[in-house]
Amino acid sequence: MATTAQAKSGLPFTIKIEPRLDVPRWLSPAVSLGAIIVALILGAVILKLVGGDPIAAYVHIGKAAFGDIGVFSDTLVKATPLIMVGLACSLAFRMKLWNIGAEGQFYIGALGASAVILSGLVPETAPRPVAITVMLIAGVAGGALWGFIPGWLKARLNVNEIITTLMLNYIAVALVNYFVFGVWSEGGFQLSKTFQKAAWLPRLADYAKQIPAFRGLTTHAGLIIAIIAAFIIWYILYRSRWGYEIRLIGDNPRAAQYAGIDIVKNTVLVMMTSGALAGLAGMSEIAGVVHRLQTSISPGYGFTGIIIAWLAKLNPLVVIVVAILFGGLILAGREIQPAGVPRLIQGIILFMLIASDVLLRYRVRVVRAGEI
């Protein structure tokens, strides 16, 4: 039976809100686009109210993020970890597992990748392919472990994964701080020593001698890893039996149970894979950008990944595009004043996206008074 909410105040029309029986394919992207437009308008109004110039601010954000090939290269650097954490959140959310711990899994991935270098497990004379491969495995394993804990607790004891993943974020940051301030501190500073160059992901600028156009470009090989990961996750979700099971559990867990799908096993596996992707992002960031372990390795990539996953409607390939847009927003945050404007816009976009989901579940109709 239709749920209705009527606005009766002598007006010649009535607003009816009814549950949707089906959702057209075009509606979901249209709602997301509308939410972004409304968010930008709201952001402009807020900027105007506090005395700013919203048009100048938006133009400056565009130039600071996409103005030329140099800044676009920097935008891609920011987008690289965002693609991976966006994938991590998308995969878990597709099964209705609310992994809020991508930030902590990112930190543990960075910690694991750093450990194999700073502990001497990878000798300084090791060639780059060996060093990068071992760091990648360690980062992925660290993130997967940090996903396994809430996954197992959810699967076996039905512990709320929102609480456990959120709490594990704090533990992960504390662990990194312990090693950075103590065990691996470089002369008492809040960072470790710089990794040997064999542990750095190659940048485009490294090939400037062969291709002069690459001079000064900071985009590194982590972007290729992120894009490959996006296509793999897309294939898993939409072309594999495991992906079918994940989507069926997310859409109708009771039907999945009747079909004989092992929900316990899939809960653990999905959380581990989600954590592994976020851990891969942590490894990519320290091997491609900072080249050392330090306390401030993330400006909140894990939490931004939640927004990206929602905005991409959990589609791994769309995550790439959305992550680049948000990479631009983060980069622009360094250039404009007040620096909190891009974060303000991100927050409004997230709020509007969540609020707009109601339009996917309900249909709003305006009918003339007296009509059924």
Side-chain angles (χ1 to χ4, degrees), residues 277-295:
L277 287 164
L280 182 63
M283 173 271 168
S284 166
E285 189 67 4
I286 61 162
V289 180
V290 294
H291 305 139
R292 66 199 327 165
L293 187 64
Q294 58 189 41
T295 55

Side-chain angles (χ1 to χ4, degrees), residues 215-267:
R215 185 168 291 112
L217 300 185
T218 54
T219 305
H220 58 79
L223 179 65
I224 298 173
I225 298 173
I227 292 173
I228 292 173
F231 277 91
I232 291 174
I233 296 301
W234 178 86
Y235 182 84
I236 288 174
L237 275 178
Y238 298 106
R239 292 290 184 274
S240 74
R241 179 184 174 85
W242 187 37
Y244 171 75
E245 291 180 359
I246 291 171
R247 289 185 285 123
L248 182 58
I249 294 171
D251 292 338
N252 193 334
R254 188 181 294 271
Q257 199 166 21
Y258 285 145
I261 295 174
D262 191 335
I263 296 179
V264 171
K265 183 184 77 174
N266 277 300
T267 299

Side-chain angles (χ1 to χ4, degrees), residues 159-215:
V159 178
N160 188 312
E161 74 276 17
I162 296 176
I163 303 298
T164 51
T165 52
L166 193 60
M167 293 299 103
L168 283 169
N169 285 339
Y170 295 102
I171 298 174
V173 173
L175 271 176
V176 169
N177 286 345
Y178 169 75
F179 283 97
V180 168
F181 282 101
V183 182
W184 296 326
S185 176
E186 174 76 339
F189 293 102
Q190 301 173 17
L191 38 82
S192 72
K193 72 174 186 178
T194 305
F195 302 157
Q196 62 267 29
K197 288 206 171 182
W200 297 13
L201 284 171
R203 298 180 174 185
L204 288 179
D206 296 339
Y207 303 97
K209 285 186 179 177
Q210 295 83 0
I211 307 176
F214 286 173
R215 185 168 291 112

Side-chain angles (χ1 to χ4, degrees), residues 327-341:
L329 269 180
I330 291 176
L331 185 69
R334 302 184 315 188
E335 306 291 336
I336 66 173
Q337 295 298 328
V341 170

